[in-house]
Amino acid sequence: IGAVKLKITDITLREIKQQITEKVTEAVKSLQAKNSKSGVLRNFEGYSALMEKFATQKLESLVQELWERVESELNKANIEIIRASDMAAGPIFEAYFAQELPFGTGEKRKEFPDAFVIAALEDWCEQSGEEIHVITTDVTVREACEASETLYPLASLADFVDLVLRRNEYVEKAV
Protein backbone atom coordinates (compact mmCIF):
# COMPACT_ATOMS: atom_id res chain seq x y z
CA ILE A 1 0.00 0.00 0.00
CA GLY A 2 3.02 2.26 -0.23
CA ALA A 3 3.23 2.87 3.50
CA VAL A 4 6.80 1.64 3.82
CA LYS A 5 9.80 2.68 1.75
CA LEU A 6 12.76 0.35 2.16
CA LYS A 7 16.34 1.58 2.02
CA ILE A 8 19.73 -0.07 2.26
CA THR A 9 23.27 1.24 1.94
CA ASP A 10 25.82 0.15 -0.64
CA ILE A 11 28.17 -0.81 2.20
CA THR A 12 25.53 -3.08 3.73
CA LEU A 13 25.05 -4.73 0.33
CA ARG A 14 28.78 -5.34 0.06
CA GLU A 15 28.77 -6.88 3.55
CA ILE A 16 25.87 -9.15 2.52
CA LYS A 17 27.74 -10.25 -0.59
CA GLN A 18 30.84 -10.99 1.49
CA GLN A 19 28.75 -13.03 3.93
CA ILE A 20 27.19 -14.98 1.05
CA THR A 21 30.69 -15.85 -0.17
CA GLU A 22 31.79 -16.94 3.30
CA LYS A 23 28.64 -18.99 4.02
CA VAL A 24 28.59 -20.73 0.62
CA THR A 25 32.31 -21.57 0.96
CA GLU A 26 31.74 -22.95 4.45
CA ALA A 27 28.68 -24.97 3.34
CA VAL A 28 30.44 -26.48 0.31
CA LYS A 29 33.46 -27.47 2.43
CA SER A 30 31.13 -29.08 4.96
CA LEU A 31 29.27 -30.96 2.22
CA GLN A 32 32.53 -32.17 0.68
CA ALA A 33 33.77 -33.38 4.07
CA LYS A 34 30.55 -35.33 4.60
CA ASN A 35 30.82 -36.76 1.08
CA SER A 36 33.54 -39.18 2.18
CA LYS A 37 31.28 -40.53 4.94
CA SER A 38 28.20 -40.86 2.76
CA GLY A 39 29.49 -43.23 0.10
CA VAL A 40 26.40 -45.43 0.32
CA LEU A 41 24.32 -42.53 -1.01
CA ARG A 42 26.12 -42.81 -4.35
CA ASN A 43 23.71 -45.65 -5.09
CA PHE A 44 20.79 -43.21 -5.31
CA GLU A 45 19.73 -41.33 -8.39
CA GLY A 46 20.60 -37.65 -8.24
CA TYR A 47 23.45 -38.00 -5.76
CA SER A 48 26.21 -37.45 -8.31
CA ALA A 49 24.40 -34.46 -9.85
CA LEU A 50 23.98 -32.93 -6.40
CA MET A 51 27.63 -33.36 -5.49
CA GLU A 52 28.67 -32.00 -8.91
CA LYS A 53 26.48 -28.90 -8.47
CA PHE A 54 28.12 -28.14 -5.14
CA ALA A 55 31.69 -28.98 -6.11
CA THR A 56 34.43 -26.77 -4.68
CA GLN A 57 35.41 -25.62 -8.19
CA LYS A 58 31.92 -24.14 -8.65
CA LEU A 59 32.04 -21.84 -5.61
CA GLU A 60 32.19 -18.66 -7.65
CA SER A 61 29.15 -19.55 -9.75
CA LEU A 62 27.19 -20.61 -6.65
CA VAL A 63 27.96 -17.31 -4.96
CA GLN A 64 27.00 -15.43 -8.12
CA GLU A 65 23.70 -17.33 -8.42
CA LEU A 66 22.74 -16.55 -4.83
CA TRP A 67 23.81 -12.90 -5.16
CA GLU A 68 21.70 -12.53 -8.31
CA ARG A 69 18.69 -13.80 -6.34
CA VAL A 70 19.33 -11.18 -3.66
CA GLU A 71 19.63 -8.43 -6.30
CA SER A 72 16.40 -9.61 -7.96
CA GLU A 73 14.51 -9.43 -4.66
CA LEU A 74 15.91 -5.96 -3.95
CA ASN A 75 14.78 -4.78 -7.39
CA LYS A 76 11.30 -6.30 -6.96
CA ALA A 77 10.95 -4.55 -3.60
CA ASN A 78 11.99 -1.24 -5.16
CA ILE A 79 14.57 -0.68 -2.42
CA GLU A 80 16.48 2.59 -2.52
CA ILE A 81 20.25 2.25 -2.19
CA ILE A 82 21.89 5.00 -0.15
CA ARG A 83 25.53 5.60 -1.12
CA ALA A 84 27.35 5.35 2.21
CA SER A 85 30.71 4.88 0.48
CA ASP A 86 30.41 8.43 -0.88
CA MET A 87 30.37 10.00 2.60
CA ALA A 88 33.23 12.32 3.55
CA ALA A 89 35.80 10.53 5.69
CA GLY A 90 36.78 13.55 7.84
CA PRO A 91 33.83 13.47 10.27
CA ILE A 92 34.12 9.68 10.53
CA PHE A 93 37.77 9.93 11.58
CA GLU A 94 36.85 12.64 14.10
CA ALA A 95 34.32 10.25 15.67
CA TYR A 96 36.90 7.45 15.57
CA PHE A 97 39.59 9.39 17.42
CA ALA A 98 37.04 10.73 19.92
CA GLN A 99 35.76 7.14 20.39
CA GLU A 100 32.22 8.27 19.65
CA LEU A 101 29.53 5.84 18.56
CA PRO A 102 29.60 3.52 16.73
CA PHE A 103 33.25 3.36 17.73
CA GLY A 104 34.16 2.13 21.14
CA THR A 105 37.06 0.36 22.74
CA GLY A 106 38.65 -2.93 21.76
CA GLU A 107 37.53 -4.47 18.47
CA LYS A 108 34.54 -2.11 18.20
CA ARG A 109 36.88 0.80 17.66
CA LYS A 110 37.39 -0.49 14.10
CA GLU A 111 33.76 -0.21 12.97
CA PHE A 112 34.36 2.00 9.94
CA PRO A 113 31.69 0.40 7.74
CA ASP A 114 29.07 0.98 10.47
CA ALA A 115 30.20 4.57 10.91
CA PHE A 116 29.81 5.31 7.19
CA VAL A 117 26.40 3.61 7.11
CA ILE A 118 25.15 5.65 10.08
CA ALA A 119 26.55 8.87 8.62
CA ALA A 120 24.88 8.17 5.27
CA LEU A 121 21.53 7.38 6.88
CA GLU A 122 21.67 10.56 8.98
CA ASP A 123 22.65 12.55 5.90
CA TRP A 124 19.73 11.08 3.95
CA CYS A 125 17.36 11.98 6.78
CA GLU A 126 18.69 15.54 6.89
CA GLN A 127 18.37 15.93 3.10
CA SER A 128 14.87 14.44 2.92
CA GLY A 129 13.47 15.79 6.18
CA GLU A 130 12.43 12.27 7.17
CA GLU A 131 13.37 9.69 9.79
CA ILE A 132 14.45 6.06 9.40
CA HIS A 133 13.88 2.92 11.46
CA VAL A 134 17.11 0.91 11.38
CA ILE A 135 16.85 -2.86 11.80
CA THR A 136 20.05 -4.06 13.47
CA THR A 137 21.30 -6.58 16.00
CA ASP A 138 24.63 -4.77 16.36
CA VAL A 139 24.85 -3.20 19.83
CA THR A 140 27.01 -0.23 18.85
CA VAL A 141 24.87 0.55 15.79
CA ARG A 142 21.80 0.42 18.03
CA GLU A 143 23.47 2.80 20.51
CA ALA A 144 24.45 5.16 17.69
CA CYS A 145 20.85 5.17 16.45
CA GLU A 146 19.55 5.86 19.95
CA ALA A 147 21.92 8.85 20.15
CA SER A 148 20.65 10.14 16.80
CA GLU A 149 17.69 12.46 16.38
CA THR A 150 16.57 10.80 13.14
CA LEU A 151 17.47 7.09 13.43
CA TYR A 152 15.36 4.66 15.43
CA PRO A 153 16.78 1.19 16.08
CA LEU A 154 14.69 -1.97 15.93
CA ALA A 155 15.94 -5.46 16.75
CA SER A 156 14.09 -7.33 14.00
CA LEU A 157 11.96 -7.06 10.91
CA ALA A 158 9.06 -8.42 12.99
CA ASP A 159 9.38 -5.40 15.31
CA PHE A 160 9.14 -3.11 12.29
CA VAL A 161 6.12 -4.89 10.85
CA ASP A 162 4.44 -4.72 14.26
CA LEU A 163 5.18 -0.99 14.47
CA VAL A 164 3.73 -0.33 11.02
CA LEU A 165 0.61 -2.40 11.66
CA ARG A 166 -0.10 -0.51 14.86
CA ARG A 167 -0.39 2.78 13.01
CA ASN A 168 -4.12 3.31 12.52
CA GLU A 169 -3.85 5.07 9.17
CA TYR A 170 -2.04 2.12 7.64
CA VAL A 171 -4.44 -0.41 9.14
CA GLU A 172 -7.36 1.53 7.66
CA LYS A 173 -5.68 1.55 4.23
CA ALA A 174 -5.07 -2.18 4.45
CA VAL A 175 -8.73 -2.87 5.30
Side-chain angles (χ1 to χ4, degrees):
I1 59 175
V4 176
K5 294 179 179 127
L6 301 175
K7 298 171 185 354
I8 194 165
T9 68
D10 60 327
I11 290 175
T12 305
L13 286 174
R14 289 174 74 175
E15 288 179 328
I16 291 169
K17 190 170 186 178
Q18 181 178 355
Q19 288 177 6
I20 287 173
T21 301
E22 291 169 1
K23 295 293 183 185
V24 168
T25 301
E26 181 181 313
V28 167
K29 283 182 183 176
S30 175
L31 184 62
Q32 295 301 322
K34 289 179 173 79
N35 183 28
S36 64
K37 295 179 183 178
S38 59
V40 69
L41 296 178
R42 290 185 182 110
N43 296 308
F44 292 97
E45 186 177 325
Y47 176 82
S48 295
L50 176 70
M51 293 310 291
E52 175 63 25
K53 177 172 175 78
F54 297 107
T56 307
Q57 305 89 319
K58 297 193 176 184
L59 271 173
E60 194 172 308
S61 64
L62 292 170
V63 168
Q64 185 61 30
E65 178 182 334
L66 193 51
W67 178 246
E68 286 171 3
R69 290 183 191 181
V70 169
E71 284 182 315
S72 174
E73 292 300 320
L74 292 171
N75 288 332
K76 282 187 218 173
N78 198 28
I79 295 176
E80 178 183 348
I81 299 173
I82 298 173
R83 300 276 314 157
S85 59
D86 292 345
M87 295 302 300
I92 306 295
F93 278 106
E94 290 298 325
Y96 168 76
F97 288 116
Q99 293 187 345
E100 295 172 357
L101 291 170
F103 301 106
T105 57
E107 286 302 307
K108 278 299 185 184
R109 64 185 289 270
K110 300 175 183 171
E111 290 298 318
F112 278 97
D114 291 345
F116 278 91
V117 165
I118 290 165
L121 295 176
E122 287 182 323
D123 183 65
W124 183 91
C125 289
E126 185 178 316
Q127 298 295 325
S128 68
E130 297 185 41
E131 299 170 337
I132 292 180
H133 291 279
V134 179
I135 300 170
T136 182
T137 56
D138 187 294
V139 175
T140 54
V141 171
R142 178 170 296 144
E143 290 171 351
C145 291
E146 288 169 353
S148 172
E149 294 180 14
T150 57
L151 305 179
Y152 301 96
L154 294 169
S156 69
L157 184 57
D159 291 342
F160 180 72
V161 171
D162 185 55
L163 178 72
V164 170
L165 291 177
R166 290 179 188 267
R167 297 181 78 170
N168 288 338
E169 65 190 66
Y170 298 137
V171 172
E172 289 173 16
K173 284 183 182 179
V175 170

